[in-house]
Amino acid sequence: MSTTIGDRQGAARAPRRRGHLFSRALAGVIAAGVVLGVGELISVLIDPNSSPFLAVGSTTVDRSPAWVREFAIDTYSTNDKTALFVGMAILIAVIAAVAGIVEQPRAPFGSAIFAVLGVVGVYAAIHRPGATWSFAIPTVVGVIAGIVVLRLLTATAQVPAEADAEDSWMPRRSFLLFAAAAAAAAAAAGATGRYLGRQIAGAVDNRRDFTVPAVADKAAPIAPGTDIGVPGGTPFITSNEDFYRIDTALRVPRLTTDEWQLRIHGMVDSELTLRWEDLIARTPVERVITLTCVSNQVGGDLAGNATWIGYPIADLLAEAGVQPDADMLLSRSSDGFTAGTPVQILQDGRDAILAVAMNGRPLPFEHGYPVRQVVPGLYGYVSATKWVVDWELTRFDKAEAYWTKRGWSADGPIKTASRIDVPAASASIEPGRVLVAGTAWAQHRGIGRVEVRVDNGPWQTATLAAQYSIDTWRQWTWDWDATSGMHTLQVRATDLDGNVQVQDRTSPVPSGATGWDTRSLRVS
Ligand SMILES: Nc1nc2c(c(=O)[nH]1)N[C@H]1C(S)=C(S)[C@@H](COP(=O)(O)O)O[C@H]1N2
Ligand SMILES: [Mo]
């Protein structure tokens, strides 16, 4: 007596036979399509070169002997890549058909063939130039999905044992439906992956060819004594790689300068649409400005300082002519995020800019390429729109921006803050003189004083590094004569308006955390 999978509950099931040769071959080909489609789609998240199909194709080109390449180029001229891909597709289809034919409920030979193809794909992917282990992910996920589909399809292809040979030629209706659905899903995944992949590649090329605008109105040089370089401390300028990133984008927008435009509308005298050429025809400025996120916890690292090149926002607003009763600039990104910024702040003379470069480089995609806002003194959520494409002049009593709708405060001035960076919380410290160092910020007001206290003792004045500008953070140091035992260090800053950093610990919601950074250290 024969049993089949699914017999565990003891229900008597009619014995089944494997489906017709054609159905099984079709199951294999569709499952291979699932591998490639899913792999293509997942590769968008990793790297275009991690696509299994592309990786195998590129590796074949790179590894084939010179004469094969010459032959291919001569024979197919500029279509040699297409010829390669068509050839690969046929080879994969044939192997996959065989895999489908030999796949059995009990002995998954076909799945094993898929696994072997997967190993080839992984090998090719992780040997691409610049590849990391993550390049294996698209192939691995694709092969797992493919094997699942292969197993399900070949199971659905089975026919009752007693069906006569003629009947069994016709695939079962459920098999056809399932096969069509799997094929459609594979095609959709593959097409989406290709589309997004091409879009990314186009944006990468566009960014590579980007020329950072030359500026006459340069940022003031960073004077000696601004960046005191305490080992383990926070550098005055944050590199693009180390700059914190906060946004709601699941997929980083990849706009090209050709696609980008900024529409200025709403309560303006004349609506404007700026294209890239229009923007760069204007006069850029270069400024050093510290950004901070409202979500930063006391002592947290959601702040960064960069040299930005961009175009003064106030000039563009003046061109459009802001009507007197408009008090909010509602800026919108290409992915639908919005920020509401007080017009009066944008027009009060501070260096609010539409930035196109960060530390001498085009903006990284993650930080808003090709255009983002930078407004000194306001948290990012109300001012620093990345991938900005739309400006609506409106009113705070009419419009609400993204985070304001979600319970955050409508206006977001940056609160005076200070942080201990050195010694690290885990540092082993010996009694004696210990250098304590950190950062403080109160953008657009400036840091006037930083004080440190030990074990709730009297406040002691720290030494401030040179101030670059009131729009940037400021380093500080303090000499501690440390004694053995556990100690608690606390820091607080006072801005140049005389406001002392607020002691009460509050959460970042709705308008930024308050409290003094506190660090417990063991000295022994
Ligand atoms: N398009 C877009 N812009 C955005 C955001 C976002 O979610 N989407 N987040 C804002 C917030 S909350 C902050 S703190 C800053 C962070 O900028 P960064 O990622 O370049 O450091 O970007 C702002 N601009
Ligand atoms: Mo933020």
Side-chain angles (χ1 to χ4, degrees):
M1 157 174 166
S2 73
T3 53
T4 53
I5 291 175
D7 260 353
R8 255 175 244 139
Q9 276 119 349
R13 277 266 225 112
R16 308 184 71 93
R17 241 176 333 100
R18 293 158 73 200
H20 188 269
L21 198 66
F22 170 76
S23 307
R24 280 143 56 207
L26 185 63
V29 173
I30 288 174
V34 168
V35 176
L36 298 178
V38 169
E40 198 67 38
L41 187 59
I42 305 281
S43 74
V44 170
L45 302 172
I46 314 277
D47 186 291
N49 287 322
S50 67
S51 140
F53 194 66
L54 188 72
V56 171
S58 306
T59 303
T60 311
V61 172
D62 297 348
R63 298 281 164 99
S64 52
W67 67 265
V68 172
R69 251 179 292 167
E70 311 271 276
F71 169 80
I73 291 168
D74 287 349
T75 314
Y76 308 107
S77 73
T78 50
N79 288 327
D80 59 325
K81 283 210 184 62
T82 314
L84 169 75
F85 287 139
V86 170
M88 260 174 61
I90 292 172
L91 184 65
I92 290 172
V94 169
I95 297 174
V98 172
I101 290 167
V102 301
E103 177 74 3
Q104 295 170 14
R106 286 303 184 81
F109 293 123
S111 299
I113 293 177
F114 269 57
V116 171
L117 288 181
V119 170
V120 174
V122 166
Y123 177 86
I126 62 177
H127 284 86
R128 293 279 76 216
T132 61
W133 278 104
S134 66
F135 277 48
I137 295 173
T139 307
V140 170
V141 177
V143 167
I144 291 171
I147 288 177
V148 169
V149 168
L150 179 70
R151 306 272 308 150
L152 291 173
L153 269 179
T154 45
T156 322
Q158 289 177 56
V159 287
E162 66 276 15
D164 59 40
E166 262 110 290
D167 280 358
S168 73
W169 202 94
M170 267 309 287
R172 295 166 64 217
R173 191 188 174 75
S174 53
F175 170 80
L176 285 178
L177 282 176
F178 184 25
T192 309
R194 287 299 299 148
Y195 170 76
L196 297 177
R198 249 199 297 270
Q199 209 195 0
I200 291 173
V204 167
D205 288 348
N206 180 262
R207 184 171 175 276
R208 193 196 49 222
D209 298 340
F210 178 101
T211 322
V212 172
V215 261
D217 188 350
K218 287 196 172 293
I222 298 167
T226 308
D227 193 358
I228 51 184
V230 173
T234 304
F236 180 69
I237 294 285
T238 315
S239 70
N240 291 359
E241 291 70 32
D242 292 342
F243 210 94
Y244 79 96
R245 173 186 165 200
I246 295 286
D247 54 59
T248 58
L250 291 180
R251 198 174 83 80
V252 174
R254 308 269 172 165
L255 286 176
T256 65
T257 48
D258 301 329
E259 290 159 341
W260 179 84
Q261 57 176 39
L262 176 66
R263 176 166 170 245
I264 308 175
H265 61 109
M267 299 164 75
V268 291
D269 297 335
S270 51
E271 231 182 87
L272 275 181
T273 298
L274 292 179
R275 297 191 45 83
W276 180 252
E277 304 75 53
D278 306 324
L279 181 67
I280 60 169
R282 286 158 173 78
T283 310
V285 299
E286 182 188 53
R287 297 289 183 264
V288 181
I289 297 162
T290 303
L291 290 189
T292 307
C293 182
V294 67
S295 299
N296 193 48
Q297 299 283 355
V298 170
D301 59 4
L302 299 182
N305 185 45
T307 304
W308 309 91
I309 292 175
Y311 302 85
I313 290 176
D315 293 356
L316 297 167
L317 291 178
E319 280 183 46
V322 177
Q323 291 171 2
D325 46 347
D327 62 7
M328 178 208 258
L329 171 63
L330 185 67
S331 54
R332 181 184 300 272
S333 70
S334 66
D335 68 337
F337 167 88
T338 51
T341 314
V343 168
Q344 167 265 323
I345 282 186
L346 297 169
Q347 293 175 329
D348 73 359
R350 73 183 74 197
D351 290 318
I353 55 177
L354 259 186
V356 300
M358 181 176 183
N359 292 326
R361 316 263 321 276
L363 295 173
F365 288 111
E366 292 74 15
H367 295 291
Y369 185 83
V371 182
R372 72 161 315 157
Q373 295 172 201
V374 174
V375 181
L378 297 181
Y379 287 123
Y381 80 107
V382 292
S383 68
T385 307
K386 307 189 271 191
W387 317 291
V388 61
V389 292
D390 189 280
W391 276 2
E392 181 186 347
L393 275 300
T394 177
R395 296 185 48 85
F396 277 91
D397 58 17
K398 280 196 197 149
E400 265 191 321
Y402 188 94
W403 286 114
T404 311
K405 284 184 194 146
R406 291 159 176 82
W408 294 75
S409 161
D411 52 21
I414 296 174
K415 292 177 175 168
T416 303
S418 57
R419 166 177 99 187
I420 301 168
D421 296 327
V422 175
S426 57
S428 61
I429 304 165
E430 285 170 19
R433 185 182 167 275
V434 172
L435 183 65
V436 179
T439 324
W441 60 79
Q443 288 95 311
H444 212 59
R445 298 183 302 279
I447 289 293
R449 184 167 64 229
V450 169
E451 296 160 292
V452 180
R453 69 176 179 181
V454 183
D455 301 331
N456 292 317
W459 287 104
Q460 320 218 18
T461 306
T463 305
L464 289 175
Q467 169 177 280
Y468 178 85
S469 85
I470 58 170
D471 292 339
T472 58
W473 58 18
R474 192 166 182 183
Q475 299 178 347
W476 57 267
T477 57
W478 181 68
D479 275 323
W480 177 26
D481 190 12
T483 55
S484 296
M486 280 301 292
H487 296 292
T488 303
L489 296 185
Q490 270 188 315
V491 64
R492 70 175 187 192
T494 303
D495 66 25
L496 285 170
D497 294 347
N499 306 305
V500 181
Q501 182 176 342
V502 175
Q503 173 176 18
D504 285 344
R505 278 231 168 212
T506 57
S507 93
V509 192
S511 61
T514 57
W516 294 333
D517 191 20
T518 303
R519 181 160 291 186
S520 294
L521 295 163
R522 174 175 299 283
V523 180
S524 55

